């Protein structure tokens, strides 16, 4: 019953910055992690950054040093600060929540927000 709503995407020049935000509503039972993935045309969905309930963080190698993820567990929100953006960062960015349920992991996805990095 979880719903995710992303915001903050847009058009930015190379070297610029954007801040993405995701708000989760509904009952987030057994939520283990929240994070951001992206999918560019012709590419598979890839992890950008993820923060677990205990605060541990994972970044894609391409994001390290440029992107920062933050999570407010009490408010069920997660944000992604994206600096030094490159054209190859262009993609639809998707918010994700991951829960541990019987049988394994269960993922919920937002609709996505477009990020375009171009001169």
């Amino acid at each position: 019953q979880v719903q995710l709503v992303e915001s903050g995407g847009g058009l930015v020049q190379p070297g610029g910055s954007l801040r993405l935000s995701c708000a989760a509503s509904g009952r987030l039972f057994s939520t283990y992690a929240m994070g951001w993935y992206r999918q560019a045309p012709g590419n598979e969905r890839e992890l950008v950054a993820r923060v677990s309930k205990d605060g541990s963080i994972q970044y894609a190698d391409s994001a390290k040093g440029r992107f920062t993820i933050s999570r407010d567990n009490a408010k069920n929100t997660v944000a992604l600060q994206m600096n030094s953006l490159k054209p190859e960062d262009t993609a639809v960015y998707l918010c994700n929540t991951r829960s541990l349920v019987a049988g394994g992991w269960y993922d919920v996805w937002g609709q996505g927000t477009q990020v375009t990095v171009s001169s």
Side-chain angles (χ1 to χ4, degrees):
Q1 197 62 255
V2 176
Q3 297 170 288
L4 305 177
V5 179
E6 305 105 327
S7 62
L11 174 64
V12 65
Q13 294 185 357
S17 298
L18 286 172
R19 183 177 177 87
L20 307 182
S21 183
C22 174
S25 62
R27 186 170 294 277
L28 296 165
F29 47 83
S30 300
T31 298
Y32 172 74
M34 297 185 71
W36 291 92
Y37 292 69
R38 67 187 180 190
Q39 187 164 12
N43 291 351
E44 188 53 73
R45 186 184 302 155
E46 63 175 341
L47 172 69
V48 179
R50 179 172 60 210
V51 56
S52 299
K53 189 174 182 179
D54 65 1
S56 62
I57 295 173
Q58 297 173 260
Y59 289 104
D61 287 341
S62 61
K64 291 179 180 177
R66 300 189 299 125
F67 296 179
T68 303
I69 191 169
S70 59
R71 179 181 180 180
D72 187 330
N73 289 328
K75 296 182 179 180
N76 296 319
T77 60
V78 63
L80 184 69
Q81 179 66 44
M82 308 167 66
N83 299 326
S84 301
L85 284 162
K86 305 174 181 179
E88 50 263 45
D89 295 318
T90 297
V92 173
Y93 284 70
L94 299 149
C95 184
N96 164 264
T97 65
R98 172 164 286 183
S99 300
L100 183 61
V101 300
W105 299 113
Y106 178 74
D107 290 319
V108 177
W109 301 93
Q111 292 298 307
T113 184
Q114 177 69 46
V115 171
T116 302
V117 185
S118 176
S119 299

